[in-house]
Amino acid sequence: VSGASTLTIADVGEFPLIARLKRRFEQPGSGIVRGIGDDTAVLRPRPGRLLLATTDALVEGVHFRRETTTPALIGRRALAVNLSDVAAMGGEPRWVLVSLSMPRETPLSFAEELADGMAKAAEEHGAIIVGGNLATALAGITVDVTLLGEVEPGRAVYRTGARPGDRVLVTGTLGDAAAGLEVMFGTLDVPAEIGSALVARQRAPTPRVVAGRAIATTGGATAMIDLSDGLASDLGHILEESRAGATIEASRLPISSSVRVAARLAGRDALDWATRGGEDYELLFTAPPAAVGRLADAVVAVGVAVTEIGEITSERDGVLVLPDATRVRLGGTLWRHFAANER
Ligand SMILES: [Mg+2]
């Protein structure tokens, strides 16, 4: 924690702290009839839009450790995981509610830097913080964010629409965040410049809001999800909801040079990070072959890489085709949240 101040939030008190945070969050914005300061925010969605609502919390000791990140990055990340969900619907982020619980001895500077990180991340994606709540925690910080967004009724992209013959596409690269987590925890030893690139992807994921919007407005995508838990797990959700299967070509998976080099130097399998590693927050979507070209063009036009990695099948199972043509099950949908708390 930076700053010379040793003031804690208990020294400042709840209402002065709310006043401080309110000043950081308060900014004019469209659709806000009443912002922070009344019993609720009063919001006006644009005529004819559907309201998207999502919530996700970061819990100290589970999703972050104060020793391995900064308050601003925690705030940014709390926003990013929610922005990513709105992106995966093809929507536009609009309004944010934040519920913060912190122990009394939390430094004031920590709360303020966290708030700054959140406010900046929201602003970068066209969203505004319109309300929140402060609570005292006995131990550990929890940052609970609710994000509201909007989408035109015909443009929302659900998990349910993938059909056999559709192609499977993914933005960006896969596995960087999982490798970065290992660097942070000291289980992956790589040269500093590679390590810091991977750690940056883990600590400061870029929600693909603009790409998701480009996909939705271009039209033709049949299903979409953001990769929070990893390719195998999240593609599994689309397959489940769409009652379909998929064949994914391992040789086509977009894997960054950082991940490839890290795998080679450490004697690890880059495919393992790319298929099972979570927290990349890229978008996975499906589309019939005739729509793939214009969708890919639309994503590239907003500065995001996109790769076709496989095809939807009628087999009700995810299959990974390895470079030697071996076919393995892309299942393993068990996820780490419910295993040991490893972060
Ligand atoms: Mg999601």
Side-chain angles (χ1 to χ4, degrees), residues 71-81 114 117-118 120-121 124 204-205:
L73 284 172
I74 295 165
R76 175 167 285 278
R77 184 177 179 78
L79 249 288
V81 298
L114 182 83
M118 279 194 288
K120 281 185 191 141
E124 284 168 21

